[in-house]
Amino acid sequence: MTADLSQLVKAYDVRGVVPDQWDEGLAELFGAAFTEVTGADAIVIGHDMRPTSPTLSGAFARGAAGRGADVTLIGLCSTDQLYYASGALDLPGAMFTASHNPARYNGIKMCRAGAAPVGQDTGLSEIRTLVEKWSESGAPRPLEPAARGTVTERDTLADYAAHLLSLVDLSSIRPLKVVVDAGNGMGGHTVPTVFAGLPVDLVPMYFELDGTFPNHEANPLDPANIVDLRARVVAEGADLGLAFDGDADRCFVVDERGAGVSPSAITALVAARELARNGGRGTVIHNLITSHSVPEVVRENGGTPVRTRVGHSFIKAEMAAHGAIFGGEHSAHYYFRDFWNADTGMLAALHVLAALGSQDAPLSSLVAQYDRYAASGEINSTVDDQPARTADVRAAFATREGATADELDGLTITAPTWWFNLRASNTEPLLRLNVEARDEETMRAIRDEALTLIRNPGAVSGPASGPS
């Protein structure tokens, strides 16, 4: 097919509807282009459980082999298992998944050797240019070398599990009852192997691999998709619940009461543990809309927090630049130096099990020390003029007593007892608002005032002496 890649190639990956936006022919070209841009003589490829993943990944492999690269196929895997293979084998990698998107979608997450990210600024734009050139009607196809690369298969699941378990000491934890909702995604493939032999009474939910997602979308960030898990945790009298997204690189946590645990609280908990493991020294990366409890906990435990923009390419770049030991995002992506700076929700989950199992208090009590503020969560507003609405909000809040403003990623206003960030979507006419405050009343007041300005152009803000 002739490629229109404007909607297919995103900032960090390839993602679109199959076969409307892409097919095996394009997948083969992506394989050839990926090999060309990385200069690889060998690559590793994995895929999720979506019906189109085996054929698309196979076509990508043909394209790569056609450029002379030897291909290792690791088959069904989670995205972090692919990152493990890229790191352990020191090979560029490609993961076929559309993460939490509906069944008709598929995509490719690519990395260089050692799981280094491939995004628009690190090779993806060059890959897109080659695919566009090769897919034009009448254009010459990519030339094949005299010797095609080989294609072999390799199972990395056991080695992946062993590596994760070598990074967290679970040898002396008390027995735990854990409900896991895999959402019919790749957690159903990885969890049984990783948890095997642990003192865990595992209660599986939706472990059957099914890329049509018959039970609910594999996106735990949406509260509607963890309703079943929350109810099951309470019904089972479990110690906690875990929910993985479709490609199982993100993990969400539910406490023993069925209440969701903020990813910021998990970031703080894991940061404290990683700092302890490294002698109370190290840098921890967090994006600018994680809770202020994260940098506080990092400092309290001897570490140095570094604030960065939202997005895994920024986190990974800062991880490398600072030699950071850990990084976390509000979206439940968790990054580890000892996992090639890549994100793995499974390793974060193991840290939670270790922390909970090494003491007697319930999870709700354990995480309370890391969950210190009232937060709005992310609120999206459709607007006709993102810059104008942002300017209105800045004018209303930036001059308040004690307030400061920065534009590292959107607009962040910080005052003594509250802060908020307002970011524009790159792909939709949306503004995304996140508010946090010392108490619920202040959070609600700031949230409502900001939303009035965002959603009602021309609205007059409240008094300049409002919450500070």
Side-chain angles (χ1 to χ4, degrees):
M1 67 190 298
T2 301
D4 176 11
L5 303 188
S6 60
Q7 299 300 313
L8 183 62
V9 180
K10 312 295 184 182
Y12 314 120
D13 60 10
V14 174
R15 200 173 301 192
V17 177
V18 182
D20 299 10
Q21 292 179 293
W22 70 303
D23 57 13
E24 292 177 47
L26 275 183
E28 185 171 340
L29 294 182
F30 272 109
F34 175 69
T35 303
E36 178 78 9
V37 169
T38 59
D41 55 13
I43 68 169
V44 59
I45 302 172
H47 66 80
D48 70 9
M49 67 293 140
R50 291 168 184 269
T52 58
S53 289
T55 53
L56 289 173
S57 60
F60 188 98
R62 289 195 300 274
R67 298 295 291 177
D70 292 330
V71 177
T72 298
L73 299 176
I74 64 171
L76 281 167
C77 65
S78 61
T79 290
D80 64 326
Q81 187 183 334
L82 184 279
Y83 292 151
Y84 164 78
S86 172
L89 302 176
D90 197 28
L91 296 177
M95 174 68 187
F96 277 74
T97 181
S99 186
H100 60 273
N101 286 127
R104 65 184 186 280
Y105 285 81
N106 215 322
I108 321 170
K109 295 181 178 180
M110 291 170 272
C111 60
R112 296 179 184 270
V118 170
Q120 284 291 344
D121 299 328
T122 51
L124 190 54
S125 60
E126 290 90 340
I127 292 170
R128 170 181 169 172
T129 297
L130 281 176
V131 173
E132 286 177 329
K133 181 181 76 172
W134 290 337
S135 66
E136 289 174 359
S137 179
R141 308 293 280 184
L143 297 175
E144 293 188 4
R148 290 179 61 88
T150 61
V151 178
T152 58
E153 297 181 0
R154 179 169 179 162
D155 185 356
T156 62
L157 180 57
D159 292 339
Y160 154 81
H163 179 69
L164 292 179
L165 292 167
S166 74
L167 301 176
V168 182
D169 183 6
L170 293 154
S171 60
S172 59
I173 66 169
R174 61 184 169 91
L176 298 172
K177 190 171 189 178
V178 184
V179 182
V180 177
D181 183 347
N184 299 109
M186 292 312 302
H189 176 72
T190 56
V191 168
T193 298
V194 175
F195 282 27
L198 297 179
V200 168
D201 178 5
L202 175 63
V203 181
M205 292 181 65
Y206 313 137
F207 270 39
E208 303 80 10
L209 300 184
D210 188 339
T212 67
F213 306 113
N215 293 290
H216 59 70
E217 290 185 358
N219 179 19
L221 189 60
D222 183 344
N225 296 322
I226 62 170
V227 170
D228 292 355
L229 174 63
R230 294 174 62 186
R232 188 71 177 271
V233 166
V234 173
E236 294 279 349
D239 293 290
L240 76 160
L242 303 173
F244 291 90
D245 66 344
D247 59 336
D249 61 348
R250 289 187 297 158
C251 182
F252 292 76
V253 181
V254 169
D255 70 20
E256 79 287 351
R257 306 167 304 175
V261 179
S262 161
S264 287
I266 299 300
T267 296
L269 181 154
V270 177
R273 289 180 52 80
E274 283 290 283
L275 285 165
R277 199 167 72 92
N278 286 273
R281 298 183 301 276
T283 298
V284 173
I285 311 297
H286 65 98
N287 73 27
L288 53 74
I289 55 178
T290 55
S291 170
H292 277 197
S293 64
V294 172
E296 289 175 2
V297 168
V298 170
R299 293 188 186 98
E300 290 165 7
N301 285 271
T304 302
V306 172
R307 176 174 175 263
T308 189
R309 296 178 62 184
V310 174
H312 80 266
S313 65
F314 303 113
I315 292 275
K316 289 178 179 177
E318 293 294 331
M319 291 279 291
H322 293 274
I325 60 174
F326 175 64
E329 293 197 89
H330 70 294
S331 55
H333 282 286
Y334 306 105
Y335 307 80
F336 295 83
R337 180 191 62 193
D338 295 333
F339 200 77
W340 300 277
N341 292 335
D343 45 321
T344 165
M346 186 69 78
L347 184 51
L350 293 177
H351 272 286
V352 173
L353 294 181
L356 179 60
S358 64
Q359 48 86 70
D360 295 328
L363 184 59
S364 58
S365 297
L366 176 64
V367 299
Q369 62 186 302
Y370 304 114
D371 198 3
R372 304 174 176 180
Y373 302 103
S376 67
E378 190 158 272
I379 304 169
N380 292 325
S381 301
T382 301
V383 299
D384 57 1
D385 191 333
Q386 294 166 324
R389 299 291 76 75
T390 301
D392 289 345
V393 173
R394 183 184 182 109
F397 286 96
T399 58
R400 296 191 180 180
E401 183 178 356
T404 60
D406 74 69
E407 297 181 355
L408 174 64
D409 190 354
L411 171 67
T412 300
I413 304 289
T414 303
T417 62
W418 55 265
W419 65 271
F420 68 78
N421 174 266
L422 186 65
R423 297 163 47 247
S425 168
N426 292 322
T427 58
E428 301 173 272
L430 298 176
L431 285 175
R432 309 188 193 279
L433 176 69
N434 284 270
V435 184
E436 185 174 76
R438 289 283 176 87
D439 58 78
E440 188 75 17
E441 181 181 3
T442 302
M443 184 278 289
R444 290 178 182 273
I446 297 298
R447 177 199 65 191
D448 293 348
E449 186 179 351
L451 286 175
T452 296
L453 291 165
I454 294 165
R455 295 175 176 178
N456 298 288
V460 177
S461 179
S465 59
S468 62

